[in-house]
Amino acid sequence: MIVQNKGTITAQEASDFVQSYVGSSPLSPSDESNVVVPVTLLLLHGSWNNLFKKGGANPEEFLSKLEDIMKQHAEIATEASISELTLGVVPADECDDSVDICIGDCCEEGGLSAPSSLPALAIVIPRKFVDITKPAKENLLVEYCPLKPLQLISVLSSDGSSHDGLKKELCDAVWKAIASSQLEVVEEEKVEEPVKVEPALRIVISGDRSHVGK
């Protein structure tokens, strides 16, 4: 597994990077039983929560811990293999454009669909079935690790075997995302229901017909 630790990058750089490798690497060899994929993990954080200051660590230091966790799990993983692991820290509120990119919808060009509570770990994987007629972003799977911000801080700032359960949950989320990226996305066809035509209601008023027209 090749590891690229990019350190702190802007939201635009993160968006450009993850879109650039769509279709650039083989997602699986001829043997479909051994899935091989490139994976990008982006640690999004905001200046407003000061969680990293409370944790006593620099965000970039967390990437080294994240790399160690992923390497340890990759040695025992049988679900798939990661051909290339790219790590990066993304300040979500560096500027207005950064905010737009981070909170933008993942189905739109450039969006990362960040949750409201940061820090959060984005898992970005190119889909196996690439549709070149669609924007690059739609050919990417973007999911988030289910760990809450303080849990994520605890995992990435811990040493040794502490928080093993949370570390496993983090890694399981990555492997689950890999499995999802191998599925073909089938758009559901919208079935138009036939319009029901209600029978017209005729009202007949009984009366003396001799007075009609007079």
Side-chain angles (χ1 to χ4, degrees):
M1 178 173 66
I2 301 172
V3 179
Q4 288 190 57
N5 189 329
K6 291 184 170 292
T8 298
I9 56 178
T10 66
Q12 186 60 61
E13 288 172 335
S15 177
D16 292 343
F17 172 75
V18 297
Q19 291 180 62
S20 69
Y21 71 22
V22 174
S24 62
S25 303
L27 300 187
S28 59
S30 56
D31 180 8
E32 294 294 335
S33 63
N34 183 24
V35 177
V36 181
V37 295
V39 174
T40 296
L41 300 180
L42 300 175
L43 186 60
L44 279 65
H45 71 99
S47 62
W48 62 86
N49 48 38
N50 292 324
L51 288 177
F52 286 105
K53 292 182 179 179
K54 292 179 182 178
N58 185 290
E60 293 184 40
E61 295 176 13
F62 284 32
L63 294 183
S64 297
K65 296 286 180 65
L66 183 58
E67 179 180 341
D68 291 341
I69 292 171
M70 290 304 302
K71 282 182 175 179
Q72 292 171 7
H73 195 271
E75 292 178 357
I76 61 174
T78 58
E79 304 94 330
S81 299
I82 298 176
S83 59
E84 185 173 334
L85 177 65
T86 304
L87 306 172
V89 173
V90 182
D93 60 335
E94 193 172 40
C95 62
D96 290 343
D97 289 342
S98 297
V99 175
D100 291 340
I101 290 172
C102 289
I103 67 174
D105 192 287
C106 65
C107 291
E108 297 179 2
E109 200 73 21
L112 291 174
S113 293
S116 57
S117 297
L118 296 180
L121 185 66
I123 306 166
V124 187
I125 306 172
R127 293 188 181 277
K128 177 180 179 181
F129 297 92
V130 175
D131 186 345
I132 60 175
T133 65
K134 293 183 178 181
K137 195 62 189 172
E138 293 189 25
N139 289 312
L140 288 171
L141 176 72
V142 180
E143 294 190 357
Y144 279 84
C145 174
L147 297 184
K148 296 179 180 179
L150 290 178
Q151 290 178 319
L152 190 58
I153 291 290
S154 298
V155 167
L156 298 181
S157 60
S158 64
D159 294 318
S161 60
S162 58
H163 301 292
D164 281 349
L166 293 178
K167 291 176 183 177
K168 183 179 185 302
E169 189 174 347
L170 186 157
C171 293
D172 286 347
V174 175
W175 259 260
K176 182 179 179 180
I178 291 175
S180 297
S181 72
Q182 299 299 293
L183 302 177
E184 185 173 7
V185 179
V186 180
E187 295 184 359
E188 295 183 2
E189 296 183 2
K190 293 183 179 180
V191 180
E192 295 184 2
E193 296 183 359
V195 179
K196 295 182 180 180
V197 180
E198 298 292 341
L201 181 62
R202 299 182 63 185
I203 301 176
V204 178
I205 301 176
S206 300
D208 187 354
R209 293 188 180 182
S210 63
H211 290 86
V212 176
K214 294 185 180 180

